[in-house]
Amino acid sequence: MQTYEGITSSDHKPLLGVFTDEDAPKHEGSRTIWSVFSLFLAYTYDYWEHNEWNTQSSETTYEKFILFLTLLSSRCQQHFPLNRARPSVPQELLKLMAQSRSLSFKAKRKGDIELRNEARRLRNFTRFELKRFQQEQLSVQLKERYSSGEGSNLFWNRTKRHFRHISSSLRGFVTPSGEIMKDPQDMSNIAADYYERLFEAPVVMRPHPYIDAPPIMWDNASDPIPMVTYPEIINILNSRKKKRSLDIHGLSPLILEKIPRNYWHLLAQLYNYSFTESSIPKKFKEVRMVLLAKKNAVCTPDQTRPISLLDSFLKVQERLFLTRFMQVLKNRGILPDNQSGFRAGYRLQTRVLLLIEQISSYMANSAPVTTVFVDFKSAFDQLWFEGCLGKLIRLGIPNAYVKWIQTWLLGRKATIEVL
C-alpha cells in the first residue's frame, strides 16, 4: 500500500504497509538487499537522532522505530520465481550418453564381440563422466546451501525428506467432547483459553513470609543498575547467533547485525532510561507464540509446545540486565557452589558425578541410600510473581533491580500462531 503527498521528484511513493496476497504464486522466493537496507538507515540517522529519538517518550519512539525497520526491510526485498527443475546435463555429456546407448543397441543387434567391448568401454566412460558432473554439482550446492537463490532451494528440496522433525506440526485440537477442530481460528481460540488459564496467578495462602514478614533493610537497597555502554552492546551483538526467526513485529535477530552501529548509541539511551526509570516499552512485551505438537499432530492443548519469540531488541536488553544481575548475586554470595543449572562455567555433569560418588560411598559402607527426585509441573509457567519479587528483596537484591524485574514480568501480551 503506497500513498503520495506533497511535491517530490521521486517516482517512488512512500510505503505505508504490506498486504499478503494468498493467491500469489507459492513457488516464489525472496531476498533482502541488506546493503540497501543499511545504506538507507545510514542516510536517515541524523533524522532519527535530532527529530524523532526521545527517550522521555520511549513508547512512541520505539514504536515508530520498529515500524520503520519493518517497512524498510519489506521495501528492500526482491522477489523471484523458484526454479524447481533439475540442473540440465551439459550438451556434450548428453551426446556422449546418446552415443553410448546407440552403440550398445548396435552391439546387441549384431552380436559382435569387439563392438560389445567398445560399447562397454564407452558406457563405463560415460558413467564416470556423469558421476563426476554430479559430484561437481553437489559440491557447488553444498557451498551455496545457506545462500539465497536457486542452488540452496534445490539442495534443501532434495535433502529434506531425509530429516525428521523433532516436533510435529500442529494439525488439530481434540475437544473434551472428542470433536477434532482443524480450523486455524478455532484452534487459536482454544489455545488462547488454555494458556490464559495456565498463566493465571496462583492462589497463595496469606500471610506468607516472602511478602508479609517485616522488611529487611539492606545496605545495598538503593544501589542503581549500572549504565549501559556502547562497547558492551557491540560485544553482545557480536556474540549472538544471527537467527532468522521473526518476532511479532516482523524483525529477526539477523536484522540487528544490519543496523548501522551508530544507531546503537540511541538504543543505549533507551536502555539506560529503562533501567533508571524501571520502565519498558509496551512493544517490548509483545510476544509471538508459535505452537508445535509434542507428539501427535492432533492433540489436546496441554500436549503442545509453545515457542515464544521475543522482541529482538528486548533480547539485547535482557542480556545486559543479566550480566548486572549475576554480578549482584556473585557479590552477595547468594548462589551456592552446588548450583550448576543455568550458570555459565558450571556443568550439570559435575553434579551427577558427585551424586554417584556419594551414593557409592554410602553403599560401600553398607549404609542405606534413599534418593528423591522432584519435578514441579509447569514451574516456570505458573511462577508466583509477587512471591518471587518478595524473595528477591529478602535476599538483598537492590530495589532498582526488583522494580525492573517487576515491570518486565507484568503486562505482557502474546499472539498465538498455529503452524
Side-chain angles (χ1 to χ4, degrees), residues 85-100:
R86 295 177 57 185
S88 59
V89 179
Q91 192 66 27
E92 58 272 12
L93 192 54
L94 287 175
K95 291 181 179 180
L96 191 61
M97 293 169 63
Q99 184 181 356
S100 174

Side-chain angles (χ1 to χ4, degrees), residues 285 385-386 389 404-413:
K285 301 181 182 182
F385 291 166
E386 190 177 4
L389 296 172
W404 192 88
I405 294 175
Q406 182 180 20
T407 306
W408 177 75
L409 286 173
L410 302 179
R412 304 184 75 92
K413 296 181 180 180

Side-chain angles (χ1 to χ4, degrees), residues 3 19 25 57 59 122 146 171 214 228 250 260 275 293 348 394 401 415:
T3 184
F19 293 104
S57 58
E59 295 281 355
L122 184 59
Y146 292 127
R171 301 301 182 190
V228 175
F275 287 152
L348 191 59
R394 304 192 70 80
Y401 289 82
T415 300

Side-chain angles (χ1 to χ4, degrees), residues 2-170:
Q2 293 180 333
T3 184
Y4 171 79
E5 292 182 2
I7 301 175
T8 178
S9 59
S10 174
D11 58 348
H12 288 81
K13 300 177 182 180
L15 185 67
L16 294 184
V18 179
F19 293 104
T20 302
D21 185 7
E22 296 181 354
D23 298 329
K26 295 182 179 180
H27 303 309
E28 186 178 84
S30 64
R31 66 170 66 92
T32 303
I33 311 301
W34 292 113
S35 58
V36 177
F37 176 86
S38 301
L39 184 62
F40 194 87
L41 280 176
Y43 284 147
T44 56
Y45 174 75
D46 290 339
Y47 169 78
W48 282 100
E49 182 182 19
H50 298 104
N51 298 329
E52 292 292 341
W53 205 267
N54 183 8
T55 54
Q56 302 299 323
S57 58
S58 57
E59 295 281 355
T60 306
T61 299
Y62 183 69
E63 185 174 355
K64 289 182 179 179
F65 185 61
I66 59 174
L67 179 61
F68 174 72
L69 293 179
T70 303
L71 296 179
L72 179 59
S73 61
S74 299
R75 191 63 181 266
C76 294
Q77 281 188 348
Q78 283 186 346
H79 298 271
F80 53 89
L82 294 177
N83 183 10
R84 294 177 177 268
R86 295 177 57 185
S88 59
V89 179
Q91 192 66 27
E92 58 272 12
L93 192 54
L94 287 175
K95 291 181 179 180
L96 191 61
M97 293 169 63
Q99 184 181 356
S100 174
R101 190 181 303 109
S102 175
L103 189 60
S104 297
F105 287 148
K106 184 177 180 180
K108 185 177 181 180
R109 185 172 61 254
K110 290 189 174 183
D112 189 351
I113 299 297
E114 293 184 1
L115 201 57
R116 285 187 176 183
N117 293 335
E118 179 65 19
R120 185 183 300 109
R121 184 194 64 80
L122 184 59
R123 183 168 58 251
N124 292 337
F125 177 74
T126 304
R127 288 176 178 175
F128 172 79
E129 290 295 323
L130 182 61
K131 185 176 181 180
R132 185 174 63 85
F133 169 75
Q134 292 174 344
Q135 289 177 345
E136 291 177 354
Q137 290 291 315
L138 180 60
S139 299
V140 172
Q141 292 175 14
L142 286 174
K143 291 180 181 179
E144 299 178 352
R145 65 185 185 275
Y146 292 127
S147 61
S148 59
E150 299 177 1
S152 62
N153 181 71
L154 180 64
F155 174 82
W156 292 113
N157 281 339
R158 288 186 173 184
T159 57
K160 65 181 180 182
R161 65 177 181 271
H162 300 290
F163 294 93
R164 182 175 63 87
H165 292 290
I166 297 177
S167 298
S168 303
S169 297
L170 191 59

Side-chain angles (χ1 to χ4, degrees), residues 319 322-323 326-327 329-330 335-350:
R319 182 72 175 273
L322 179 62
T323 56
M326 292 299 294
Q327 187 62 40
L329 298 180
K330 181 180 179 181
L335 293 180
D337 292 337
N338 57 5
Q339 172 65 39
S340 297
F342 306 101
R343 295 182 68 183
Y346 290 79
R347 297 179 63 86
L348 191 59
Q349 292 86 339
T350 305

